[in-house]
Amino acid sequence: MNRPLATAGPAEPERVFVGVGANLGDARAAVGHARVAVGALPGTRVVAASSCWRTAPVDASGPDFFNAVLELRTTLAPRELLEALLAIEREHGRERPYRNAPRTLDLDLLLYGGRCIDEPGLVVPHPRMHLRAFVLDPLAEIAPGLAHPVLGPLAVWRERITDQPIERLT
């Protein structure tokens, strides 16, 4: 008796956090455009978006950055999501002439569920997220109590970086 092959249903969406930043051109508008572009990715929806925050560059140069964090639910695999984020950056004119160059748009895959991934070109959790107020403050706004899968509660890490001024914009 021939039976049709069973097919897997759609993958369960993962809880994912993406950092958004820009400091060239109309940087604040770029942060808003990124929210729309990320939410339009296949199998992806934005379930929360932080306020926009202004910070001085950290380990970078140029004008102040505008930053935010998006919380997503996505069925895209981590590598697929990263490639899609990089494509959105390119569509917004992102160039990489040197490490930490000023940018028209920067999209960082911060957390992908509770997964730890260390592959060429893809490291999750983001290796410096716990050292950046421009990541931790927006994360705390939309996901209070969030924990890093290895380092634990992110609020503890925020207490350690009081030297990074940050301004929440209305």
Side-chain angles (χ1 to χ4, degrees):
M1 173 176 178
N2 290 332
R3 293 186 183 187
L5 295 175
T7 57
E12 283 296 313
E14 286 277 0
R15 185 182 193 201
V16 173
F17 291 90
V18 172
V20 182
N23 74 333
L24 290 179
D26 190 347
R28 190 168 183 179
V31 170
H33 293 295
R35 177 183 180 188
V36 173
V38 170
L41 293 174
T44 302
R45 66 185 170 92
V46 175
V47 296
S50 75
S51 302
C52 195
W53 299 71
R54 184 190 342 240
T55 61
V58 176
D59 296 334
S61 61
D64 285 354
F65 273 86
F66 291 90
N67 299 283
V69 169
L70 304 175
E71 180 180 350
L72 315 176
R73 295 296 183 278
T74 187
T75 57
L76 293 175
R79 177 72 62 181
E80 289 177 297
L81 179 57
L82 175 65
E83 293 301 323
L85 296 176
L86 293 173
I88 293 169
E89 287 182 352
R90 287 189 299 274
E91 290 167 9
H92 280 82
R94 172 75 187 265
E95 296 178 357
R96 297 173 188 269
Y98 54 90
R99 188 173 189 273
N100 293 331
R103 53 209 74 159
T104 55
L105 185 61
D106 185 31
L107 297 172
D108 289 328
L109 183 51
L110 303 172
L111 294 165
Y112 191 97
R115 295 189 198 186
C116 293
I117 304 166
D118 191 354
E119 301 173 357
L122 176 62
V123 178
V124 178
H126 189 282
R128 292 172 303 284
M129 67 177 281
H130 64 290
L131 304 173
R132 307 289 195 242
F134 64 81
V135 171
L136 296 178
D137 284 5
L139 268 174
E141 178 187 353
I142 62 172
L146 188 66
H148 186 286
V150 174
L151 302 174
L154 289 169
V156 172
W157 290 92
R158 179 58 179 110
E159 294 170 8
R160 298 177 183 180
I161 52 171
T162 57
D163 62 329
Q164 295 178 26
I166 184 167
E167 175 189 5
R168 183 177 176 181
L169 304 174
T170 57

